[in-house]
Amino acid sequence: MGAPVVAAAALASTRTGRRIVIGLVAFVVLAVAFLLVPLMVVPLAVAGQSVTTTVETRPAPVANGDWGYPLAGGYTKGRGFGHNPVSGCSYCSTNHQGYDMAQGCGATVYAAGPGEVITAGTYQGYGNTVRIDHGDDIVTLYGHMQWNSLRVAVGDQVTAGTPLGAEGNTGKSFGCHLHFELRESGRSVDPQPFMAALGLPLK
Ligand SMILES: [Zn+2]
């Protein structure tokens, strides 16, 4: 390495020399880049991975059959279903229509079961919301997600584990959490026994 560096230093002392050195350096950088790119891509292709699958850092949510948890990994339980006032929040409903669970602002929210997205955006007091129609008059709702975080659109077909958006604090919310709601024939019901019957008990 010594001789080329000395030669480069000598060349760099004149204006024309500097141009030559810059050209040589650019050539070497490009040559190395062309050599390295195939070396980096080939092992990934051999391993059967695509670059996009490495973006997700959290594990997939636990699933049982066609259904799974709307959050991956551990979570903090918030309010349960029914009469449940929030102390310090005058605008929060006292008759809670869902089940609150939290991992932290920005955590990925997943579809709990297979179906069609029927809401993806602002919905009543739920802020940025996704609703999924699962057929058999069953709809799940995922409320309070961060603005501009939704990864699905109305009409999309999803399955359990499809990322929907990011946990947030939009709408009538008091801190980042997922409001997970279940509706049967248009009426809100307690998600806890429903999920437990699927082998996916909530806290
Ligand atoms: Zn809630």
PDB file of all heavy atoms in Angstrom, residues 6 9 42 60 92 101 118 125 127 151 179:
ATOM      1  N   VAL A   6       2.260   7.011  -1.770  1.00  0.00           N
ATOM      2  CA  VAL A   6       3.304   8.017  -2.029  1.00  0.00           C
ATOM      3  C   VAL A   6       3.122   8.597  -3.422  1.00  0.00           C
ATOM      4  O   VAL A   6       3.183   9.814  -3.622  1.00  0.00           O
ATOM      5  CB  VAL A   6       4.709   7.386  -1.863  1.00  0.00           C
ATOM      6  CG1 VAL A   6       5.768   8.355  -2.362  1.00  0.00           C
ATOM      7  CG2 VAL A   6       4.948   7.031  -0.406  1.00  0.00           C
ATOM      8  N   ALA A   9       0.210  10.896  -3.466  1.00  0.00           N
ATOM      9  CA  ALA A   9       0.511  12.153  -2.787  1.00  0.00           C
ATOM     10  C   ALA A   9       1.327  13.058  -3.702  1.00  0.00           C
ATOM     11  O   ALA A   9       1.082  14.261  -3.779  1.00  0.00           O
ATOM     12  CB  ALA A   9       1.263  11.880  -1.485  1.00  0.00           C
ATOM     13  N   VAL A  42     -26.190 -12.495  -3.949  1.00  0.00           N
ATOM     14  CA  VAL A  42     -26.256 -13.940  -4.177  1.00  0.00           C
ATOM     15  C   VAL A  42     -26.515 -14.728  -2.885  1.00  0.00           C
ATOM     16  O   VAL A  42     -27.408 -15.567  -2.857  1.00  0.00           O
ATOM     17  CB  VAL A  42     -24.978 -14.431  -4.901  1.00  0.00           C
ATOM     18  CG1 VAL A  42     -24.895 -15.943  -4.871  1.00  0.00           C
ATOM     19  CG2 VAL A  42     -24.989 -13.930  -6.346  1.00  0.00           C
ATOM     20  N   ALA A  60     -43.947 -12.394  14.407  1.00  0.00           N
ATOM     21  CA  ALA A  60     -45.352 -12.392  13.992  1.00  0.00           C
ATOM     22  C   ALA A  60     -46.221 -12.686  15.205  1.00  0.00           C
ATOM     23  O   ALA A  60     -45.785 -13.355  16.147  1.00  0.00           O
ATOM     24  CB  ALA A  60     -45.559 -13.444  12.911  1.00  0.00           C
ATOM     25  N   CYS A  92     -63.549  10.505  27.244  1.00  0.00           N
ATOM     26  CA  CYS A  92     -63.552   9.058  26.998  1.00  0.00           C
ATOM     27  C   CYS A  92     -64.913   8.479  27.394  1.00  0.00           C
ATOM     28  O   CYS A  92     -65.509   8.913  28.376  1.00  0.00           O
ATOM     29  CB  CYS A  92     -62.457   8.382  27.812  1.00  0.00           C
ATOM     30  SG  CYS A  92     -60.779   8.892  27.350  1.00  0.00           S
ATOM     31  N   MET A 101     -55.448  -2.651  24.723  1.00  0.00           N
ATOM     32  CA  MET A 101     -54.169  -3.331  24.932  1.00  0.00           C
ATOM     33  C   MET A 101     -53.062  -2.453  24.354  1.00  0.00           C
ATOM     34  O   MET A 101     -53.269  -1.778  23.342  1.00  0.00           O
ATOM     35  CB  MET A 101     -54.179  -4.729  24.310  1.00  0.00           C
ATOM     36  CG  MET A 101     -54.667  -4.778  22.887  1.00  0.00           C
ATOM     37  SD  MET A 101     -55.310  -6.397  22.345  1.00  0.00           S
ATOM     38  CE  MET A 101     -53.933  -7.498  22.625  1.00  0.00           C
ATOM     39  N   ILE A 118     -63.183  -2.920   5.566  1.00  0.00           N
ATOM     40  CA  ILE A 118     -64.348  -2.095   5.216  1.00  0.00           C
ATOM     41  C   ILE A 118     -64.197  -0.657   5.721  1.00  0.00           C
ATOM     42  O   ILE A 118     -64.984   0.209   5.347  1.00  0.00           O
ATOM     43  CB  ILE A 118     -65.667  -2.719   5.743  1.00  0.00           C
ATOM     44  CG1 ILE A 118     -65.599  -2.934   7.258  1.00  0.00           C
ATOM     45  CG2 ILE A 118     -65.979  -4.011   5.005  1.00  0.00           C
ATOM     46  CD1 ILE A 118     -66.948  -3.375   7.867  1.00  0.00           C
ATOM     47  N   GLY A 125     -65.367   8.319  16.927  1.00  0.00           N
ATOM     48  CA  GLY A 125     -64.397   8.794  17.921  1.00  0.00           C
ATOM     49  C   GLY A 125     -63.165   7.922  18.026  1.00  0.00           C
ATOM     50  O   GLY A 125     -62.353   8.096  18.934  1.00  0.00           O
ATOM     51  N   GLY A 127     -60.655   7.705  15.952  1.00  0.00           N
ATOM     52  CA  GLY A 127     -59.453   8.186  15.289  1.00  0.00           C
ATOM     53  C   GLY A 127     -59.163   7.389  14.034  1.00  0.00           C
ATOM     54  O   GLY A 127     -60.082   6.977  13.312  1.00  0.00           O
ATOM     55  N   ARG A 151     -51.613   0.514   6.578  1.00  0.00           N
ATOM     56  CA  ARG A 151     -50.962  -0.270   5.522  1.00  0.00           C
ATOM     57  C   ARG A 151     -51.966  -1.076   4.726  1.00  0.00           C
ATOM     58  O   ARG A 151     -51.577  -1.954   3.946  1.00  0.00           O
ATOM     59  CB  ARG A 151     -49.901  -1.175   6.159  1.00  0.00           C
ATOM     60  CG  ARG A 151     -48.759  -0.326   6.749  1.00  0.00           C
ATOM     61  CD  ARG A 151     -47.985  -1.023   7.834  1.00  0.00           C
ATOM     62  NE  ARG A 151     -47.126  -2.078   7.318  1.00  0.00           N
ATOM     63  CZ  ARG A 151     -46.210  -2.712   8.063  1.00  0.00           C
ATOM     64  NH1 ARG A 151     -46.035  -2.365   9.320  1.00  0.00           N
ATOM     65  NH2 ARG A 151     -45.479  -3.674   7.548  1.00  0.00           N
ATOM     66  N   HIS A 179     -57.359   0.009  20.652  1.00  0.00           N
ATOM     67  CA  HIS A 179     -58.731  -0.324  21.041  1.00  0.00           C
ATOM     68  C   HIS A 179     -59.187  -1.422  20.091  1.00  0.00           C
ATOM     69  O   HIS A 179     -59.387  -1.183  18.908  1.00  0.00           O
ATOM     70  CB  HIS A 179     -59.630   0.920  20.926  1.00  0.00           C
ATOM     71  CG  HIS A 179     -61.084   0.625  21.152  1.00  0.00           C
ATOM     72  ND1 HIS A 179     -61.700   0.781  22.372  1.00  0.00           N
ATOM     73  CD2 HIS A 179     -62.046   0.183  20.305  1.00  0.00           C
ATOM     74  CE1 HIS A 179     -62.983   0.447  22.271  1.00  0.00           C
ATOM     75  NE2 HIS A 179     -63.211   0.074  21.021  1.00  0.00           N
TER      76      HIS A 179
END
